[in-house]
Amino acid sequence: LITLKEAKELLNTVVAGVKDFDDAEVVICPPFAFLSSLINSSISFGAQDCYSEDKGSFTGEISALMLEDLGCKYVILGHSERRNIFNETNEEINLKLKKVLNSNIIPIICIGENKEDREEGKTFEVLAEQLDGCLENISKEKAKKIILAYEPVWAIGTGKFAEISKIEEVRNFIQEFLSKKFSKDVSENIKIIYGGSVDSKNVYSYLSEAMMDGVLVGGASLKANEFLELIKSAKAERV
């Protein structure tokens, strides 16, 4: 965790640097406690989570409507740490998703297998279960608004990199799943991004070779110069 002062310094450096990349959308998702102090109109902001109700007696929780009022454009749901540390279920993520889809915020749904699942060859089985649970009773029209983030848990913050061919296989699997659950049109509209030890050296491969629509950056986002270099590398792929 960093202080508000450090967060402001980091943000100022990033905001100044991204002016050179006006054709790339950069989204910052700081902790709840910093959002109101950091949010501004020169860059997109998101939250790291939200609650499954709009209002009520839920001390300590933050609703999608509160985030919208603050000016958030995105919210991350079902991050691997929420699932693994706080035991968040697909059903809980689904309830949150439904509330977010009733707001003007774009949800980023995280899915991914852990090391054991991967070693046992259960990657697609786990992904299908997560997708099925998280997207239950979501309409085709609202589904188009969703961004899916594939983050293999075993690659997050470990320095281990998933093979490009495997990531591409996962992307194809997700698109096929979405086509069957909704339609080909919906599948083509939903963006799929990748998260898992992303840095300036490998981001190009994830975007160009694995054909991901974007990346969910972890530790590299806390180093302003590395983050800007990552954006530069990502932009180079899009030229």
Side-chain angles (χ1 to χ4, degrees):
L1 297 177
I2 58 177
T3 65
L4 178 57
K5 179 182 178 182
E6 291 171 324
K8 286 182 176 180
E9 291 173 351
L10 175 61
L11 178 64
N12 289 338
T13 303
V14 171
V15 169
V18 298
K19 291 178 181 178
D20 298 329
F21 312 117
D22 55 3
D23 58 343
E25 184 174 17
V26 179
V27 182
I28 304 295
C29 298
F32 285 134
F34 297 164
L35 265 172
S36 60
S37 298
L38 298 179
I39 212 161
N40 60 59
S41 58
S42 62
I43 198 168
S44 296
F45 276 81
Q48 297 177 2
D49 188 32
C50 74
Y51 192 53
S52 57
E53 294 292 342
D54 289 331
K55 56 184 178 180
S57 302
F58 306 106
T59 302
E61 296 296 340
I62 311 294
S63 72
L65 294 181
M66 291 178 183
L67 296 177
E68 184 178 346
D69 190 51
L70 274 178
C72 281
K73 185 177 178 181
Y74 298 88
V75 64
I76 299 171
L77 299 177
H79 189 277
S80 59
E81 291 167 1
R82 297 297 311 176
R83 292 175 181 271
N84 298 328
I85 298 175
F86 300 99
N87 298 315
E88 208 164 88
T89 66
N90 295 319
E91 290 72 24
E92 289 174 308
I93 297 165
N94 176 252
L95 291 174
K96 293 180 179 184
L97 175 61
K98 289 172 180 174
K99 292 298 180 182
V100 172
L101 289 174
N102 285 330
S103 72
N104 291 313
I105 297 178
I106 298 170
I108 302 171
I109 307 296
C110 297
I111 58 173
E113 81 282 10
N114 60 34
K115 182 180 178 182
E116 292 72 24
D117 296 329
R118 179 173 181 259
E119 290 175 347
E120 294 173 11
K122 295 181 178 179
T123 295
F124 296 146
E125 179 183 334
V126 170
L127 295 180
E129 181 182 349
Q130 292 174 342
L131 287 167
D132 223 19
C134 292
L135 301 177
E136 184 177 1
N137 294 324
I138 301 298
S139 71
K140 290 183 179 180
E141 283 307 307
K142 288 190 174 181
K144 292 180 181 180
K145 183 180 176 182
I146 297 169
I147 294 174
L148 287 172
Y150 170 54
E151 49 163 13
V153 180
W154 53 270
I156 300 172
T158 63
K160 297 179 180 179
F161 307 119
E163 296 175 26
I164 297 300
S165 60
K166 297 298 183 183
I167 298 175
E168 192 172 7
E169 284 180 7
V170 167
R171 177 186 172 82
N172 293 338
F173 171 81
I174 293 172
Q175 286 189 312
E176 184 178 349
F177 180 96
L178 294 173
S179 292
K180 291 178 179 178
K181 186 172 184 65
F182 299 111
S183 68
K184 184 177 180 180
D185 176 56
V186 171
S187 174
E188 292 174 347
N189 272 273
I190 293 179
K191 292 181 179 178
I192 304 172
I193 63 177
Y194 176 76
S197 295
V198 179
D199 59 30
S200 60
K201 296 180 180 64
N202 58 33
V203 65
Y204 181 91
S205 296
Y206 295 138
L207 297 176
S208 63
E209 298 175 39
M211 300 300 291
M212 286 292 176
D213 298 309
V215 289
L216 185 64
V217 186
S221 66
L222 298 178
K223 303 172 185 176
N225 291 333
E226 166 63 13
F227 189 49
L228 290 172
E229 189 63 30
L230 186 154
I231 298 168
K232 181 180 179 181
S233 298
K235 181 178 178 294
E237 191 281 326
R238 298 303 185 190
V239 173

